[in-house]
Amino acid sequence: EEALAKLHAACHEPLDACYLVFALLLDERFDIRARQLASIKDEQRRTAIREYRRALDLVSPEEFLPLLELAVPALKMLSWEQYETFHKAMLHFIDADGEFTFREWILYQLVISQVGAQYVKAASRKAAYTQLREASVTLLSALAWLEPDKAAAQGAFEAGLKEMLLPVRPLPGKPEPEALSQSMDILRGA
C-alpha cells in the first residue's frame, strides 16, 4: 500500500517518472543491474532508481503497465534534450544484458509511441509494399521468439507467414528494439 503510493507519486514528476521507467527496466541479475546503473552518473539518481525498484518489488507485476501509463503525462513534460538523454539511457538499460525481451519492447514502445511521438513528425509518404512486408516479418519474428523452443518458434513464425499470405522463410534472429520500433512505425503508417 505504501509502496504503491510512493510509485503513484513518482508518476506525476517528470524526472521521477524517468527513474521509475529505469527501475522497471532493471535486470534481475546483479552484474547486469550494476552495468545498467553505471550509465547513470549521478549517485542520487541511482539511489532513486534503486528505491523505486524496491517499491516495485513490493507490488504486483500487474501494476507495472498501469503505473507506466500513469507516468506518460509527466514524461511528456520533458524537454527535447531531456527526452533525448532519457531515450538513450533507456536503450542502454535494454541493451545491457545483450538480450531483447518482449516485456522490454512493450515498455519501450509505450514510451516512444506516447511520449516520443510528440517530438517526431509522422512520415508523410506511404510505405512501399516491400517495406510493409519486411516490417510484418520483423513483427512476426518478435512474436515467434516469445516461444523459447527454437523449433516451436519456427513453427509459429511459419504459421504467421501463411496466415498473412507471405512466403515461408527461415526464422530470423530476434530483432533489436530499434528494428522492431522502425517496423512498428511503418505498420502504424499503413
Side-chain angles (χ1 to χ4, degrees):
E1 196 73 23
E2 191 180 315
L4 196 54
K6 178 182 179 128
L7 294 166
H8 275 245
C11 292
H12 301 292
E13 293 295 328
L15 291 179
D16 285 319
C18 291
Y19 305 151
L20 176 61
V21 171
F22 297 145
L24 284 164
L25 288 169
L26 279 179
D27 201 276
E28 297 299 318
R29 291 167 292 180
F30 179 76
D31 58 327
I32 305 296
R33 192 174 281 203
R35 200 177 312 153
Q36 289 172 313
L37 288 168
S39 68
I40 306 293
K41 303 299 175 213
D42 185 88
E43 180 56 39
Q44 283 182 305
R45 292 176 179 179
R46 286 195 300 266
T47 300
I49 294 166
R50 285 189 203 98
E51 284 177 9
Y52 288 133
R53 183 68 242 181
R54 280 193 286 276
L56 285 166
D57 290 340
L58 297 173
V59 301
S60 166
E62 278 105 45
E63 295 288 342
F64 293 0
L65 205 52
L67 280 166
L68 185 57
E69 289 171 344
L70 194 61
V72 164
L75 291 170
K76 284 184 172 183
M77 293 167 67
L78 295 171
S79 70
W80 165 245
E81 291 78 12
Q82 287 173 319
Y83 175 74
E84 273 285 280
T85 302
F86 168 64
H87 183 255
K88 282 180 189 158
M90 193 170 53
L91 285 175
H92 179 82
F93 268 59
I94 290 169
D95 293 339
D97 60 358
E99 290 176 24
F100 157 70
T101 67
F102 199 58
R103 185 183 151 279
E104 289 171 334
W105 181 76
I106 289 171
L107 194 147
Y108 177 77
Q109 273 299 309
L110 199 125
V111 170
I112 65 160
S113 66
Q114 296 289 312
V115 182
Q118 71 186 2
Y119 302 107
V120 181
K121 288 186 176 148
S124 54
R125 63 185 182 87
K126 296 271 184 215
Y129 170 75
T130 53
Q131 288 178 301
L132 291 171
R133 184 186 65 214
E134 292 312 307
S136 299
V137 168
T138 300
L139 181 59
L140 283 174
S141 70
L143 293 170
W145 278 113
L146 290 173
E147 174 57 61
D149 176 67
K150 185 161 185 192
Q154 177 67 42
F157 180 64
E158 287 178 12
L161 291 172
K162 287 176 186 170
E163 191 65 32
M164 294 184 71
L165 306 176
L166 294 170
V168 172
R169 59 169 87 175
L171 175 64
K174 288 182 190 177
E176 295 295 319
E178 282 291 332
L180 199 45
S181 298
Q182 288 169 357
S183 295
M184 286 300 294
D185 290 343
I186 290 167
L187 293 170
R188 260 195 295 269

